[in-house]
DNA sequence: CGACAGGTTGAGTGAGCTCAAGTCGGGTGG
DNA sequence: CCACCCGACTTGAGCTCACTCAACCTGTCG
């Protein structure tokens, strides 16, 4: 989702050649700022964060190369921050003037992103959410079984409405069951994507074979995609 | 949100004068159907429901008079059902042909609705979610303190990611604390909207005066609106 | 080397779920 | 009219999963 075709991306590049750069952790725009522009990720990863008055944080999306973000009506409902070093292309909405029909696709993408977020938060248990997140992330990062998570446990937790402890525990549990393999905190291999899919869908009954060694025979991941 | 100005509504009425009618509980479209049309509520209430493979239900929105729903890219991600008797106006997206710039506003509305849903699910406790839901619903239904809830407890529960038991208990608790008054299951009065707003924002510390009689001196509700 | 940030793991607690009654109101039929 | 049923709602008791609190590990940086 939020992925532009090469053609679209090229067309947009003509409009604005400026490449903005942000370092890890830098803020791209703040919650509440007037929503004058939207962005396309050239490289790196971006998160959008909504802060509640009590200080707690809800991440409303992660955006990778060729994704777009920052499409909002009046003011930004979430801030945007660089998860890793990031290069961006900026597009002005030109507040006053009517947007071109081109933007329709972009709006649809933003809508899909929001619905993907709802899809994660709509699941009930930690295992379901984490499994769905892993599948969605794998799908977005090209459908490979081996994925590099650019974001911290804290980011994942705030995206899924869990704590870092629960996320960490759940990942360990999935690893113990042999469904995934952890090569360091950021590098995860989906050993049994279809079993993960069962978990994500609430099929907790998958008791698996008792912790067989992480053989990981590359069961293909069906690109859990964000479009249903 | 998702409210059209009188002018917009009138302009649209010219396009299509057909009024569709549905009885309580009837399905307007099903999850997975090709998303060829979108709808405007003339009267009544509509819910959109996403069904997970395990059977559990996530309501992604309630739509009242002048709201629009059913704006999706390819196929409907949620089904739409009549909560009460409903009259609708239908607008074709005309799959193939490009949409008119007019639709941009409608898309923004759909996006706002999705973000409002995230805003509810992003809250952590049952009290926060229920309080936020009551304020949002009051705001949408005209900002009055006395509101008629057309949907069942089950609908509310599936919208907030809770069970009917927890929703019922939470409402009883709020009533016991004097923040709201329950005149039958469907009729609720917000006695202390600002205290509710504190609760919705995580300010659980509001211990209130011990259960004073439901005096309900009509503290104005600040239309918790869906736009931030 | 120590300080520190990010991550993992354990023990105990509590909010919300499950299971199970019980209540209330509306409809239907004898 | 009353008896009965049915669905929606409420409420209680117990349990469970995720949170809280706390310790510990690991790698990085000064």
């Amino acid at each position: 989702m939020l992925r532009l075709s090469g053609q679209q991306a090229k067309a947009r590049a003509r409009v604005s050649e400026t490449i903005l750069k942000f370092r890890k952790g830098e803020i791209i725009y703040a919650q509440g700022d007037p929503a004058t522009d939207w962005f396309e990720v050239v490289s790196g990863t971006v998160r959008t964060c909504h802060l509640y008055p009590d200080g707690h944080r809800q991440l409303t999306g992660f955006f990778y190369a060729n994704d777009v973000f920052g499409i909002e009506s009046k003011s930004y409902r979430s801030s945007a921050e660089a998860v890793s070093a990031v290069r961006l292309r900026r597009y002005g909405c030109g507040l006053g003037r009517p947007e071109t029909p081109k933007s329709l696709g972009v709006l649809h993408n933003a809508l899909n992103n929001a619905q993907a977020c709802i899809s994660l938060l709509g699941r009930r248990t930690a295992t379901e959410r984490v499994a769905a997140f892993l599948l969605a992330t794998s799908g977005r990062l090209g459908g490979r079984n081996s994925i590099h998570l650019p974001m911290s446990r804290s980011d994942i937790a705030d995206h899924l409405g869990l704590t870092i402890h629960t996320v960490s525990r759940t990942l360990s549990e999935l690893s113990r069951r042999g469904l995934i393999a952890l090569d360091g905190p950021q590098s995860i291999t989906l050993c049994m994507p279809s079993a993960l899919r069962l978990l994500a869908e609430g099929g907790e009954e998958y008791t698996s074979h008792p912790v067989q060694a992480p053989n990981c025979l590359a069961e293909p991941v069906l690109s859990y995609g964000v479009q249903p």
Side-chain angles (χ1 to χ4, degrees), chain A residues 18 24 53 96 104 149:
Chain A
T18 333
K24 177 173 176 175
L104 275 177
L149 296 178

Short mmCIF file of all heavy atoms in Angstrom, two decimals, chain A residues 18 24 53 96 104 149:
data_model
loop_
_atom_site.label_atom_id
_atom_site.label_comp_id
_atom_site.label_asym_id
_atom_site.label_seq_id
_atom_site.Cartn_x
_atom_site.Cartn_y
_atom_site.Cartn_z
N THR A 18 13.30 18.49 -5.37
CA THR A 18 13.95 18.67 -4.07
C THR A 18 13.92 17.37 -3.27
O THR A 18 12.87 16.75 -3.13
CB THR A 18 13.21 19.72 -3.24
OG1 THR A 18 12.56 20.62 -4.11
CG2 THR A 18 14.15 20.42 -2.30
N LYS A 24 18.02 9.92 11.72
CA LYS A 24 17.25 9.06 12.62
C LYS A 24 16.71 9.87 13.80
O LYS A 24 17.45 10.58 14.48
CB LYS A 24 18.17 7.95 13.13
CG LYS A 24 17.52 7.03 14.13
CD LYS A 24 18.44 5.86 14.46
CE LYS A 24 17.82 4.98 15.54
NZ LYS A 24 18.62 3.78 15.81
N PRO A 53 -3.50 13.28 24.98
CA PRO A 53 -3.25 14.27 26.03
C PRO A 53 -2.55 13.66 27.25
O PRO A 53 -1.81 14.35 27.94
CB PRO A 53 -4.65 14.76 26.40
CG PRO A 53 -5.47 14.50 25.19
CD PRO A 53 -4.91 13.25 24.59
N GLY A 96 -4.91 26.50 -0.94
CA GLY A 96 -6.04 27.17 -1.57
C GLY A 96 -6.52 26.49 -2.85
O GLY A 96 -7.68 26.11 -2.97
N LEU A 104 -6.12 11.71 -6.17
CA LEU A 104 -7.12 10.73 -5.76
C LEU A 104 -6.47 9.42 -5.38
O LEU A 104 -6.78 8.82 -4.36
CB LEU A 104 -8.13 10.50 -6.88
CG LEU A 104 -9.28 11.49 -6.91
CD1 LEU A 104 -10.17 11.21 -8.10
CD2 LEU A 104 -10.07 11.42 -5.62
N LEU A 149 13.66 -5.27 10.55
CA LEU A 149 12.75 -4.29 11.15
C LEU A 149 13.53 -3.04 11.49
O LEU A 149 14.39 -3.07 12.37
CB LEU A 149 12.12 -4.85 12.42
CG LEU A 149 11.22 -6.08 12.28
CD1 LEU A 149 10.74 -6.53 13.64
CD2 LEU A 149 10.05 -5.77 11.39
#
